[in-house]
Amino acid sequence: MTRSPSTDTTLPDDLGPAFVTALQGALEDAAPALGDLDRRAGDGDFGDNVRTAMKNLARELESAEPEDYRGWVTAMSRAWLGVGGTSGPLFGMFYRDLAKAAGDGEAPDLGALAEALEAGQAVIQKYGEAEVGDRTMVDALAPAVVALREAAQAGKAPAEALAAAEQAAIEAARGTAELTARRGRASYVGETAKGVMDPGACAMGLVVGALRVAVEADGGEVAADWIE
Amino acid sequence: MTRSPSTDTTLPDDLGPAFVTALQGALEDAAPALGDLDRRAGDGDFGDNVRTAMKNLARELESAEPEDYRGWVTAMSRAWLGVGGTSGPLFGMFYRDLAKAAGDGEAPDLGALAEALEAGQAVIQKYGEAEVGDRTMVDALAPAVVALREAAQAGKAPAEALAAAEQAAIEAARGTAELTARRGRASYVGETAKGVMDPGACAMGLVVGALRVAVEADGGEVAADWIE
Amino acid sequence: MRRSIVNDPDQLVPEALEGFVLSHPGRLALDAEHRFVRRAEPARDKVGLVSGGGSGHEPLHAGFVGPGMLDVAVAGAVFASPTALQVLEATKAADSGRGVVQIVKNYTGDVLNFRIAGEISGDDEVETEIVLVDDDLATDTADGGGPGRRGTAATVIVEKICGAAAEEGQDLAAVADLGRRVAASARTMSLALAAGTHPGDEEPQFSLGDDEVELGVGIHGERAARRVPFTTADGLTDLLLDPLLEELDLSRGDELLAIVNGLGGTYPLELNLVARRLHRRLADAGMSVGRSLVGSYVTSLDMHGVSLTLMPLDAELTRLWDAPVATPALSW
Amino acid sequence: MRRSIVNDPDQLVPEALEGFVLSHPGRLALDAEHRFVRRAEPARDKVGLVSGGGSGHEPLHAGFVGPGMLDVAVAGAVFASPTALQVLEATKAADSGRGVVQIVKNYTGDVLNFRIAGEISGDDEVETEIVLVDDDLATDTADGGGPGRRGTAATVIVEKICGAAAEEGQDLAAVADLGRRVAASARTMSLALAAGTHPGDEEPQFSLGDDEVELGVGIHGERAARRVPFTTADGLTDLLLDPLLEELDLSRGDELLAIVNGLGGTYPLELNLVARRLHRRLADAGMSVGRSLVGSYVTSLDMHGVSLTLMPLDAELTRLWDAPVATPALSW
Ligand SMILES: Nc1ncnc2c1ncn2[C@@H]1O[C@H](COP(=O)(O)OP(=O)(O)O)[C@@H](O)[C@H]1O
Ligand SMILES: Nc1ncnc2c1ncn2[C@@H]1O[C@H](COP(=O)(O)OP(=O)(O)O)[C@@H](O)[C@H]1O
Ligand SMILES: [Mg+2]
Ligand SMILES: [Mg+2]
Ligand SMILES: [Mg+2]
Ligand SMILES: [Mg+2]
């Protein structure tokens, strides 16, 4: 059965908490693996940075007590803005645009979410000045944005559309192992990074995975076993 | 022929320049030996201090162009006041009192000189707080003052009186080799100074020797061969 | 080996900030959560000035908070940028309604976190302008590629000049323009005889041979591109002065602002020798040191070295430099 | 090994003085022959203040010449007293007809040369009073024999308080009395993690084991009587603070003036940790740091260490401490 363009594109009311909670769990679990990647092809602090972000997130959630999608995603944004380094402010800006997908008290629909992801990609590139292929988080995000837009235009249901986006992100993140870094601390280690996936791209794969989990009816798990 | 109490006690008009010039030569010659003594039983800088004083003296004489006893001896005082350390200010004060022996334009007579030497000893002891036997310049000065006073009271002629004082000073300076220092840097080396004459006491012996030379008609040399 | 006076190295910055602010009661206040120091009595109705960056450069930046200079200084860990969130909160604290100039040393992390904080501060309706300080001549690349020149001791001049302009009521654009003018015209050269040691570490960040001097060091213990032979104070000064004079294109009669800056482990006697040579050489060239600072203002922990910053003066810059200032590290 | 930024080590002091005075045009002047720094604009009709001593303690003393503090500072060679003649000329230069207070750290050579200069200055009809600073608790001997306690960082307090009193027109005896009151009530304890290195030398004045701290050091690189185990910033602070509190006999509610003083190679982050511990401990004991300085004011070349000076405040001392001062190293 193919879906018509009139398919229901609304996303669950609890998208915010569902997304943020799923991602929180996934990042906490993946922190050691992500740190390991940054040690092998970077300056080794990304695992700590993820952990700091998650600590900040817990504090933000406690103090802000968010009630809607925007509030929950804003908490994630502030959590990363409190990290420093390169990935902190870039993820922070990314989530800030993601939070803007919906007005107060609402959750976005699929189209608004896709646009917000695209805006998030743009802001990362604006400040980070990385192009696709530079071996950064952008490499995972860009194909996910394309996949999501295409799936949405093809009238796919949200869960299916996000599953496609997640697959695109994971594949691209895997592909960063063959790229040479031109941005961030990893750029100093040059060719020796070959064969090692970019940790920021992997984290971005988890982000899209958490979105998928948040819109799925049965609320599955974020896949992370591909990160190693 | 014994001299009567009415012996002429006036000192030569050129006492100032004669004394200062004789001492200048003696100290310049003895500087290495004095430095050596301070190295063996002190902190080793006394030779340099003597040289600095003589450099200062040359400059003082050039700039002040002294015309009388007081001016010449004041130049010697300022020369030592410009040395620093312990011996610099003490010798500086000593010569300052020595300079006061005569009014402007005059040379002192033997009695005034003896009193001035005594005042000089007092000022050294006031500021240096050394007693006879502490292994300092005082050890040479004190017996010279006594000898000079006695010789003067006995009606001896100036040259003879000063020769007696010089002998007393030299003997006492030699005797410092058997003393343990209780003042100045030499006090830190304690017993190891035994057998080494105190350089300040030796220098004081040269001072009295230069006075003797300055009053002698034939202007002999200051004996310094006893310093070793 | 250098041992540090430190408790838990991870808590060094917050503890040091606490001690610093306690030492200036009634004049400074601390936001412990966001690790910024602000004036105890916030200024009203003037352009705000916020600066900051990694720690280890003291008295920069918190030492320059006070009337006539910064409103707020925000501190990262040793040699690490503060986070965007810290900068955001610091920027908001510096605002009294007329916007905020952010003074940022040109390092990738600092620039990113300050730019982003500036962007976000718009959410709170704070207008911001960034002034980038990039005075380090040793990192000048002719083609302008890469991250550009690093920011070092000229930061003090930018903070002072902008501070005076803000205090006299100039508006956001004017204050930022002045800062950019200073940054564009000031240049610095630095050298080290020995690297600094991170608190908690035992070994310095790099080591040199007995007859080597690291020429063109930055303030984070990075090694420089050149190692040159060790020489006298005059010779070392010339190593800094020659390239600066070549770069600055000065003429006889010019008056300069100079900062002879110790990098942390340099004692004043040494800095005064550098100052002496500087004055003599400029006088010989028919120029003069119109204003100067000689001291340790922008340090790299206890690095033993010196930097020399020169900037041509004009009447306006001189007036702003001379304007009153009352901060822990600069005051007249 | 530490290499110094120096030309001819024998010319270090005159060259450094030249550079220092060149760096403060219109504010300071140099007598090169007698190696003293004086105010460019000599004060009139006030009690003069002269201080000085060996070099290597910068910014002491020349850094404290200016309105509200010293009139003249005279410099000996590194760690050596100036000569009596230098002190004499410096004393004469400090006189504006109302007499001169000579502030002298208690070291045999300094005391001798200052006392004698004071005596001789009578020839030029300058009235003098000596204030001896002897705050170093580590050299306190119960029986009062020997040379007595050394003079260290309390010198800054004496110079500031006497400076303010002189500036407000108090007479010679009153200014000297105030100085003596400060000297009698201020006490200092110092420790070092590493000794300083003489300019021109390559080795530090002493070396310590990795887990040793020299407790009770002076400011001339003398070894202290005690070596204690290395510990945290808080622990090190307590090593200084405990004996001071025991000595000073304070009560709850007392307000203190504190100087947390770096000995030359200590970076501000470290000093701020000491300040923090000090504030916290005094607060716990119901006392407070009413006024304080935290910085490197009385150094021992590049010695890595810290001294802590405490003095109980009363209304008069607080007023004089707060009075305006405008010198290179202290200004408010
Ligand atoms: N300029 C950039 N633009 C986009 N992403 C970047 C950039 N620089 C680094 N990153 C991402 O950040 C990740 C590393 O983050 P982190 O370790 O926190 O930062 P840093 O590189 O400063 O140590 C990299 O794996 C990469 O994906
Ligand atoms: N307190 C004192 N009183 C008198 N003479 C002293 C005293 N201390 C030292 N001297 C004299 O000074 C001489 C040493 O002079 P010098 O080397 O210049 O001084 P220092 O001992 O400071 O190095 C000694 O040989 C001694 O005669
Ligand atoms: Mg990293
Ligand atoms: Mg990093
Ligand atoms: Mg000696
Ligand atoms: Mg000596």
Side-chain angles (χ1 to χ4, degrees):
Chain A
M1 183 183 99
T2 55
R3 295 174 187 273
S4 74
S6 65
T7 308
D8 183 7
T9 62
T10 56
L11 300 176
D13 276 354
D14 71 343
L15 179 68
F19 165 57
V20 168
T21 315
L23 183 54
Q24 185 175 24
L27 284 174
E28 273 164 1
D29 291 349
L34 294 169
D36 200 49
L37 293 176
D38 199 38
R39 256 185 298 281
R40 283 149 70 195
D43 62 352
D45 56 358
F46 189 63
D48 284 342
N49 290 348
V50 167
R51 269 181 286 264
T52 302
M54 293 306 100
K55 224 168 50 192
N56 292 346
L57 176 64
R59 208 178 37 222
E60 287 287 340
L61 291 176
E62 195 165 329
S63 70
E65 297 188 30
E67 304 205 323
D68 57 10
Y69 169 85
R70 165 166 268 185
W72 277 86
V73 181
T74 295
M76 184 63 95
S77 169
R78 289 180 57 92
W80 280 96
L81 289 172
V83 168
T86 318
S87 64
L90 293 181
F91 271 125
M93 292 303 274
F94 166 77
Y95 291 114
R96 181 165 171 270
D97 276 345
L98 212 60
K100 287 182 186 159
D104 276 348
E106 300 164 27
D109 66 10
L110 188 63
L113 184 69
E115 269 169 42
L117 275 175
E118 202 171 337
Q121 179 190 335
V123 80
I124 290 174
Q125 291 191 270
K126 173 179 167 191
Y127 287 103
E129 295 175 10
E131 299 300 323
V132 171
D134 281 356
R135 200 190 137 86
T136 71
M137 56 177 75
V138 174
D139 291 330
L141 180 55
V145 165
V146 171
L148 188 62
R149 198 190 313 119
E150 285 176 358
Q153 278 165 358
K156 295 233 171 91
E160 212 177 329
L162 280 160
E166 182 187 17
Q167 274 321 307
I170 291 176
E171 249 164 66
R174 283 182 193 275
T176 57
E178 300 315 310
L179 297 174
T180 303
R182 273 190 291 274
R183 292 281 156 191
R185 294 296 172 116
S187 62
Y188 299 123
V189 299
E191 296 296 318
T192 69
K194 276 280 169 66
V196 180
M197 291 188 282
D198 177 66
C202 292
M204 193 57 94
L206 298 180
V207 172
V208 187
L211 281 172
R212 193 255 306 151
V213 164
V215 300
E216 268 180 358
D218 62 353
E221 288 253 316
V222 181
D225 50 2
W226 55 276
I227 302 174
E228 55 198 4
Chain B
M1 183 181 98
T2 55
R3 295 173 187 273
S4 73
S6 65
T7 309
D8 183 6
T9 61
T10 56
L11 300 177
D13 278 352
D14 71 346
L15 179 69
F19 164 56
V20 169
T21 314
L23 183 54
Q24 185 176 26
L27 283 174
E28 273 165 2
D29 292 348
L34 295 170
D36 199 48
L37 293 176
D38 199 38
R39 255 185 299 280
R40 284 151 69 197
D43 61 351
D45 56 358
F46 189 63
D48 284 342
N49 291 346
V50 166
R51 270 182 285 265
T52 302
M54 293 306 100
K55 226 169 48 194
N56 292 346
L57 176 65
R59 210 180 34 225
E60 286 287 339
L61 291 175
E62 195 164 328
S63 70
E65 296 186 31
E67 304 204 324
D68 56 10
Y69 169 84
R70 165 166 267 186
W72 277 85
V73 181
T74 295
M76 184 62 95
S77 169
R78 287 180 57 91
W80 279 96
L81 290 172
V83 167
T86 317
S87 63
L90 293 181
F91 271 125
M93 291 303 274
F94 166 77
Y95 292 114
R96 181 164 171 272
D97 276 346
L98 212 60
K100 287 183 185 160
D104 276 348
E106 301 165 27
D109 67 9
L110 188 62
L113 183 68
E115 270 167 43
L117 273 176
E118 201 171 336
Q121 178 190 336
V123 82
I124 290 175
Q125 292 191 269
K126 171 178 168 191
Y127 287 103
E129 295 174 10
E131 300 300 324
V132 171
D134 282 355
R135 198 189 141 87
T136 72
M137 55 177 75
V138 174
D139 291 331
L141 180 54
V145 165
V146 172
L148 188 61
R149 197 190 314 119
E150 285 176 0
Q153 278 166 358
K156 295 231 172 94
E160 213 177 328
L162 280 160
E166 182 187 17
Q167 274 321 306
I170 290 176
E171 248 164 68
R174 283 183 193 274
T176 58
E178 300 315 311
L179 297 174
T180 303
R182 271 189 292 272
R183 291 281 156 192
R185 294 297 171 117
S187 62
Y188 300 123
V189 300
E191 295 298 317
T192 70
K194 278 276 167 71
V196 180
M197 290 188 282
D198 177 66
C202 293
M204 194 56 94
L206 297 179
V207 171
V208 188
L211 282 171
R212 191 256 308 152
V213 165
V215 301
E216 270 182 356
D218 61 355
E221 287 252 317
V222 181
D225 50 3
W226 55 276
I227 302 176
E228 54 198 3
Chain C
M1 197 204 77
R2 180 190 200 269
R3 298 167 296 165
S4 292
I5 301 177
V6 68
N7 296 311
D8 173 0
D10 283 344
Q11 294 304 309
L12 171 59
V13 170
E15 289 186 358
L17 288 174
E18 181 191 337
F20 184 68
V21 168
L22 282 171
S23 304
H24 297 90
R27 304 184 60 192
L28 299 178
L30 177 66
D31 182 316
E33 184 185 346
H34 301 104
R35 298 188 184 172
F36 65 77
V37 172
R38 62 169 178 83
R39 303 189 194 177
E41 201 74 67
R44 289 157 175 265
D45 193 33
K46 71 175 255 307
V47 169
L49 278 193
V50 65
S51 190
S55 295
H57 308 303
E58 293 70 23
L60 194 77
H61 295 272
F64 300 120
V65 173
M69 225 161 154
L70 300 179
D71 293 280
V72 179
V74 53
V78 171
F79 294 171
S81 167
T83 71
L85 196 64
Q86 285 180 271
V87 177
L88 170 65
E89 298 302 327
T91 303
K92 282 155 61 179
D95 187 43
S96 62
R98 297 191 52 194
V100 175
V101 171
Q102 301 177 311
I103 298 171
V104 188
K105 301 192 296 304
N106 188 29
Y107 298 98
T108 310
D110 292 72
V111 173
L112 189 60
N113 284 286
F114 270 86
R115 276 183 70 202
I116 284 178
E119 167 87 33
I120 307 175
S121 66
D123 298 356
D124 297 286
E125 292 177 353
V126 178
E127 241 188 310
T128 59
E129 289 270 356
I130 283 194
V131 173
L132 216 63
V133 187
D134 59 347
D135 53 312
D136 176 38
L137 186 56
T139 42
D140 207 332
T141 47
D143 62 3
R149 291 184 304 262
R150 296 174 294 208
T152 62
T155 313
V156 176
I157 313 179
V158 174
E159 292 178 0
K160 174 67 184 79
I161 297 290
C162 289
E167 219 73 51
E168 69 180 27
Q170 298 199 31
D171 67 20
L172 184 63
V175 174
D177 276 358
L178 271 163
R180 289 181 192 121
R181 185 144 73 83
V182 169
S185 62
R187 288 294 179 276
T188 298
M189 272 296 289
S190 315
L191 62 79
L193 305 186
T197 302
H198 268 281
D201 286 5
E202 302 207 329
E203 293 306 320
Q205 293 183 277
F206 59 80
S207 46
L208 288 171
D210 282 8
D211 57 354
E212 287 176 343
V213 171
E214 195 84 3
L215 181 61
V217 288
I219 53 174
H220 298 94
E222 318 89 308
R223 295 215 61 153
R226 291 177 62 198
R227 264 170 298 293
V228 299
F230 180 58
T231 177
T232 60
D234 286 353
L236 293 171
T237 307
D238 292 347
L239 287 172
L240 304 177
L241 190 52
D242 288 336
L244 287 171
L245 291 179
E246 189 172 330
E247 170 75 10
L248 286 180
D249 189 31
L250 303 162
S251 341
R252 294 186 77 82
D254 280 355
E255 207 177 81
L256 297 168
L257 170 60
I259 304 186
V260 176
N261 177 59
L263 293 173
T266 315
Y267 44 68
L269 287 171
E270 298 180 304
L271 296 179
N272 288 328
L273 294 192
V274 175
R276 170 178 174 273
R277 178 67 169 182
L278 167 70
H279 278 265
R280 291 188 156 209
R281 286 224 23 215
L282 287 186
D284 286 349
M287 295 177 286
S288 67
V289 180
R291 299 288 184 278
S292 68
L293 293 178
V294 181
S296 293
Y297 293 97
V298 179
T299 59
S300 181
L301 295 171
D302 62 324
M303 179 178 267
H304 182 204
V306 61
S307 73
L308 178 57
T309 303
L310 293 181
M311 181 188 77
L313 279 169
D314 60 25
E316 184 185 22
L317 293 175
T318 304
R319 177 177 59 77
L320 292 167
W321 180 258
D322 287 346
V325 58
T327 71
L330 211 62
S331 151
W332 55 69
Chain D
M1 198 201 80
R2 182 189 199 267
R3 299 167 296 164
S4 292
I5 301 177
V6 68
N7 295 310
D8 172 1
D10 284 344
Q11 294 303 309
L12 171 59
V13 171
E15 289 187 357
L17 288 174
E18 182 190 335
F20 183 70
V21 169
L22 282 170
S23 303
H24 297 90
R27 304 185 59 193
L28 299 179
L30 178 66
D31 183 317
E33 185 186 346
H34 300 104
R35 299 189 184 171
F36 65 77
V37 173
R38 62 170 178 82
R39 303 188 194 177
E41 200 75 66
R44 288 157 176 267
D45 192 33
K46 70 177 254 311
V47 169
L49 278 193
V50 65
S51 189
S55 294
H57 308 302
E58 293 69 24
L60 195 77
H61 295 272
F64 299 120
V65 173
M69 225 159 154
L70 299 179
D71 293 279
V72 179
V74 55
V78 171
F79 294 171
S81 168
T83 70
L85 196 63
Q86 287 181 270
V87 177
L88 170 66
E89 297 302 327
T91 303
K92 282 156 59 179
D95 187 42
S96 62
R98 297 192 50 195
V100 175
V101 171
Q102 302 177 310
I103 299 170
V104 188
K105 302 192 295 304
N106 188 30
Y107 298 98
T108 310
D110 293 72
V111 174
L112 189 60
N113 285 287
F114 270 86
R115 275 182 73 201
I116 283 177
E119 167 88 32
I120 307 175
S121 66
D123 297 357
D124 297 286
E125 293 178 352
V126 178
E127 241 188 308
T128 59
E129 289 271 356
I130 283 195
V131 173
L132 216 63
V133 187
D134 58 349
D135 53 313
D136 177 36
L137 186 55
T139 42
D140 207 333
T141 46
D143 62 2
R149 291 183 305 262
R150 297 174 295 208
T152 62
T155 314
V156 176
I157 313 178
V158 174
E159 292 178 1
K160 173 69 184 75
I161 297 290
C162 289
E167 219 74 51
E168 69 180 27
Q170 298 198 31
D171 67 20
L172 183 62
V175 173
D177 275 356
L178 271 163
R180 289 181 193 123
R181 184 142 74 86
V182 169
S185 62
R187 287 295 179 275
T188 298
M189 273 296 289
S190 316
L191 63 80
L193 306 187
T197 303
H198 268 281
D201 285 4
E202 302 206 330
E203 294 306 320
Q205 292 182 276
F206 59 80
S207 46
L208 287 171
D210 283 8
D211 57 356
E212 286 177 344
V213 171
E214 195 84 1
L215 181 62
V217 288
I219 54 174
H220 297 95
E222 318 90 309
R223 295 214 61 154
R226 290 177 62 197
R227 264 169 299 295
V228 299
F230 180 58
T231 179
T232 59
D234 286 352
L236 293 171
T237 307
D238 292 347
L239 287 173
L240 304 177
L241 189 52
D242 288 335
L244 286 171
L245 291 180
E246 189 173 330
E247 171 74 10
L248 285 179
D249 188 30
L250 303 163
S251 342
R252 294 186 76 83
D254 280 356
E255 208 177 81
L256 297 167
L257 170 60
I259 303 185
V260 176
N261 177 59
L263 292 173
T266 314
Y267 44 68
L269 287 172
E270 297 180 304
L271 296 179
N272 287 328
L273 294 193
V274 175
R276 170 178 173 273
R277 178 69 169 181
L278 168 69
H279 278 265
R280 290 188 158 211
R281 287 230 15 221
L282 287 186
D284 286 349
M287 297 177 284
S288 68
V289 181
R291 298 289 185 275
S292 69
L293 293 178
V294 181
S296 293
Y297 293 97
V298 178
T299 60
S300 181
L301 296 170
D302 62 324
M303 179 179 268
H304 181 205
V306 61
S307 73
L308 178 57
T309 303
L310 292 182
M311 181 188 76
L313 280 169
D314 60 25
E316 183 184 24
L317 293 175
T318 303
R319 177 178 59 78
L320 293 167
W321 180 258
D322 288 346
V325 58
T327 71
L330 211 62
S331 151
W332 55 69

